[in-house]
Amino acid sequence: MSISGATLMPDSIKERKVLYLQVISPIHIGTREGKLSSLEYLHVNGKTHLIDENRFGTFLKEKNLIDPFVEEAGEGPIAMKDFLKQHKHSDLEKVVSHITCLSIPGGSSGMREFRPFIRDGNGQLFIPGSSLKGALRTALLYDLIQNNKTVKSGIENNCKRALNDAPKKFFSTEWLQRELLQRFSLPSGEEGPHKDILRCLTVRDAYPVGKIESRIIKIRFLCKNGTASPTWYFKKKGGKDLEIWLEAVVNGCFRTELLWDVKLLNLFRKNGKQKIYPATCLQDVVEKASNTSREIFAHESGYYAMPQTAGNPHPGVAEANKTAAALARWHKEEVGQAIRIGFGSGMLSTTVNLSLPEELRKRIRDKFGIPRPDDPAPKSRRVWKRPDEQWLPMGWLKMTESMDRGDGTQAKTDPGSEAAPEKVQTERWDVATLSWDPGSQKITAEDRGKRAEVKGKDLVPESIQAKLFGKKKTARATVEVEPVGNAYRIVRIEPAD
């Protein structure tokens, strides 16, 4: 469905648009810690239970196991289940409730590690606004290149020069960002952010709306070799199928908010030196991101439409044939406006490489990556087999201004709609005290013992900015907040009456 126009926020300095992100293929956003080892979880009865350090420490003390644990852990990698069984705790079901803090469906007793999904301080799954903005940024850059022949030709020539001049194993496209997104100067004497045009765009963290489903799943690597036949990617040592276990959101809906700083855009325009704008409003951002996603979707459909190779002795080729065919069919379905994020999105979704000719992409890969003569660039895709046998790619979200009811229809989210779905409940605090912390770059609102936060200055009306960001760093205001787990997040700030 089409995304309608945005609304203007107080003082008419920002556009605001709420988007719902429906998960249509597994999403994984990683954490700073990266992977969890087999010492940090237990797999019991189809679920993976994360070890709580404090509870586990108490357990070791009560069972007089601190010294054995320190000794065995110091000798090298061990699995928690093996340690417990060796010390007469083979009934893992009884132990789980005493030493773990979180249970996630899925996983396997044989997995050696997995990658958890990012959570906030309250343990809530969410999609960081930085992940969404990064995907939008790449999409806008790609759209700009595709629709300007001069820019596209210049980029191809620069890439060809880099193949001849750049040191082997090093290839950077920082110049591309500088040339197309970071030359938007402010008028002389005006104070403001640096020259990046997408300083106009703010993307809020996306939190679940209603119930979402996360589980630990096994990701496999489908690849296409020089003969265009599908196969699985195998480890060089041992010839085993390459796989990765990770926690992914496989079903559900997230809600985010986009803001566009109209005032800042007008300041950039006053300078008048830059003629090509990747976007000038939120409608531009969403439509161009959707156009980019449609081109990626079409390209992926062609990639999976591989010839069915009979008689190939390579292990798993029959399954690879069926998998490729299933994914080709999935990519033929119309998903409307979408965006791709997170692990497994692939080179074509995280770069502008799809704007380059196939042969040029292959030359760049062969010089600066792993040479694979005659193989396509990129060669492999990360895929997941659902319990119902359906194969899916990674990372796709459908963007709408309303939530999917689950029966293929959309429920309107207008305040007066009779068919309105379950909404994110908000509260209005008429006279709240705002405070500003320059160190954390956070605004805090307090009202009758309640506390809400938001990062950044984007929501603050111009009329109270001087007071809040000045020496006092406090101000009175009316705020709208929404619950996030056991805490609150500020979604709107207005001057107090």
Side-chain angles (χ1 to χ4, degrees):
M1 64 175 284
S2 174
I3 303 293
S4 61
T7 58
L8 286 177
M9 294 187 66
D11 296 342
S12 297
I13 59 171
K14 287 184 174 67
E15 283 184 284
R16 175 178 179 269
K17 185 188 289 291
V18 173
L19 290 181
Y20 292 90
L21 307 171
Q22 186 74 37
V23 176
I24 58 176
S25 75
I27 306 296
H28 173 77
I29 309 293
T31 65
R32 289 183 179 179
E33 292 75 20
K35 304 171 186 176
L36 296 182
S37 72
S38 57
L39 187 61
E40 298 171 280
Y41 61 81
L42 280 172
H43 185 267
V44 182
N45 292 336
K47 291 185 177 181
T48 301
H49 309 269
L50 304 192
I51 304 297
D52 181 281
E53 291 183 5
N54 293 329
R55 301 180 76 182
F56 183 57
T58 301
F59 173 84
L60 291 176
K61 184 177 180 180
E62 291 174 350
K63 303 299 181 181
N64 198 27
L65 290 174
I66 293 178
D67 289 341
F69 178 77
V70 171
E71 183 179 349
E72 292 182 34
E75 291 177 354
I78 60 173
M80 181 61 70
K81 62 179 181 179
D82 294 336
F83 172 80
L84 293 172
K85 288 179 179 179
Q86 288 169 12
H87 294 275
K88 301 179 181 180
H89 294 283
S90 57
D91 191 347
L92 299 180
E93 289 185 47
K94 291 183 179 180
V95 178
V96 161
S97 61
H98 297 288
I99 65 173
T100 63
C101 58
L102 177 66
S103 297
I104 308 169
S108 166
S109 58
M111 67 182 184
R112 296 182 177 180
E113 61 187 23
F114 82 93
R115 305 179 183 193
F117 201 100
I118 191 171
R119 287 173 165 80
D120 66 11
N122 296 307
Q124 173 67 65
L125 294 167
F126 75 107
I127 300 175
S130 57
S131 296
L132 292 167
K133 185 172 180 179
L136 292 171
R137 184 181 185 88
T138 301
L140 289 173
L141 194 57
Y142 173 83
D143 182 87
L144 191 155
I145 294 167
Q146 286 293 85
N147 291 291
N148 189 302
K149 292 181 179 179
T150 302
V151 171
K152 187 172 184 177
S153 175
I155 289 170
E156 289 182 18
N157 290 334
N158 278 338
C159 288
K160 290 174 182 176
R161 282 195 293 271
L163 286 168
N164 296 324
D165 302 334
K168 188 173 176 59
K169 300 294 182 182
F170 178 80
F171 183 72
S172 173
T173 56
E174 288 184 7
W175 56 269
L176 182 58
Q177 299 265 357
R178 290 195 301 269
E179 289 296 320
L180 299 182
L181 299 180
Q182 296 173 350
R183 289 185 177 273
F184 292 81
S185 301
L186 295 169
S188 177
E190 294 280 1
E191 295 184 0
H194 64 63
K195 300 178 181 181
D196 194 318
I197 184 66
L198 290 188
R199 286 282 181 153
C200 294
L201 177 64
T202 299
V203 184
R204 300 291 183 210
D205 294 342
Y207 276 85
V209 180
K211 186 178 180 180
I212 62 170
E213 179 187 357
S214 81
R215 62 185 301 109
I216 298 174
I217 63 177
K218 180 172 73 173
I219 301 302
R220 298 178 68 187
F221 292 72
L222 187 71
C223 57
K224 190 175 183 179
N225 60 28
T227 62
S229 60
T231 187
W232 296 108
Y233 196 89
F234 288 82
K235 294 180 181 179
K236 293 181 179 180
K237 294 183 179 180
K240 291 185 178 180
D241 185 8
L242 180 63
E243 60 185 44
I244 292 176
W245 289 91
L246 51 80
E247 182 187 9
V249 176
V250 297
N251 190 30
C253 182
F254 292 83
R255 176 186 181 273
T256 188
E257 183 178 84
L258 308 185
L259 301 174
W260 184 263
D261 194 325
V262 178
K263 183 177 180 180
L264 180 58
L265 176 67
N266 289 336
L267 287 176
F268 281 131
R269 281 176 160 169
K270 279 183 181 179
N271 207 35
K273 292 182 179 180
Q274 187 65 280
K275 303 298 182 183
I276 303 174
Y277 286 79
T280 57
C281 61
L282 291 181
Q283 187 71 12
D284 262 1
V285 172
V286 175
E287 287 185 355
K288 290 180 177 181
S290 298
N291 292 340
T292 298
S293 292
R294 274 191 285 270
E295 293 198 22
I296 295 171
F297 222 77
H299 181 274
E300 294 297 89
S301 178
Y303 172 89
Y304 288 115
M306 306 176 186
Q308 301 295 298
T309 307
N312 191 322
H314 199 289
V317 70
E319 184 189 22
N321 278 330
K322 292 180 181 178
T323 301
L327 286 161
R329 289 192 297 271
W330 188 85
H331 279 86
K332 288 182 180 179
E333 297 179 8
E334 176 59 44
V335 297
Q337 298 189 127
I339 189 171
R340 198 177 194 188
I341 64 168
F343 175 86
S345 297
M347 181 183 72
L348 299 184
S349 297
T350 55
T351 70
V352 297
N353 282 18
L354 189 56
S355 64
L356 304 176
E358 168 75 10
E359 287 304 312
L360 184 53
R361 290 204 304 269
K362 289 167 65 175
R363 287 179 59 196
I364 293 172
R365 185 270 315 278
D366 290 345
K367 178 173 180 179
F368 302 107
I370 300 175
R372 301 185 184 279
D374 301 323
D375 286 348
K379 173 188 175 71
S380 62
R381 302 294 190 276
R382 296 164 176 84
V383 297
W384 172 56
K385 188 178 185 180
R386 285 193 327 201
D388 64 0
E389 303 295 309
Q390 169 68 57
W391 285 94
L392 293 175
M394 293 291 294
W396 284 104
L397 294 165
K398 183 177 180 180
M399 299 189 295
T400 65
E401 275 191 310
S402 58
M403 293 189 300
D404 196 327
R405 289 192 181 100
D407 58 3
T409 62
Q410 300 291 323
K412 294 181 180 179
T413 56
D414 300 327
S417 170
E418 295 181 0
E422 178 185 357
K423 297 179 180 178
V424 176
Q425 299 297 319
T426 62
E427 294 183 18
R428 181 182 174 88
W429 299 352
D430 290 323
V431 185
T433 300
L434 297 182
S435 58
W436 167 248
D437 182 350
S440 65
Q441 293 286 296
K442 284 185 178 180
I443 295 169
T444 301
E446 295 187 58
D447 179 49
R448 290 168 292 182
K450 294 182 179 180
R451 182 186 178 98
E453 292 184 341
V454 69
K455 192 165 185 176
K457 303 179 178 181
D458 300 300
L459 294 180
V460 181
E462 194 171 20
S463 57
I464 63 174
Q465 287 182 9
K467 184 178 290 186
L468 183 61
F469 303 134
K471 291 184 178 180
K472 291 186 176 181
K473 297 184 176 60
T474 60
R476 306 285 279 180
T478 297
V479 299
E480 183 180 350
V481 302
E482 65 181 16
V484 180
N486 296 322
Y488 290 95
R489 178 176 61 180
I490 302 170
V491 296
R492 181 170 295 187
I493 300 174
E494 299 173 0
D497 294 334

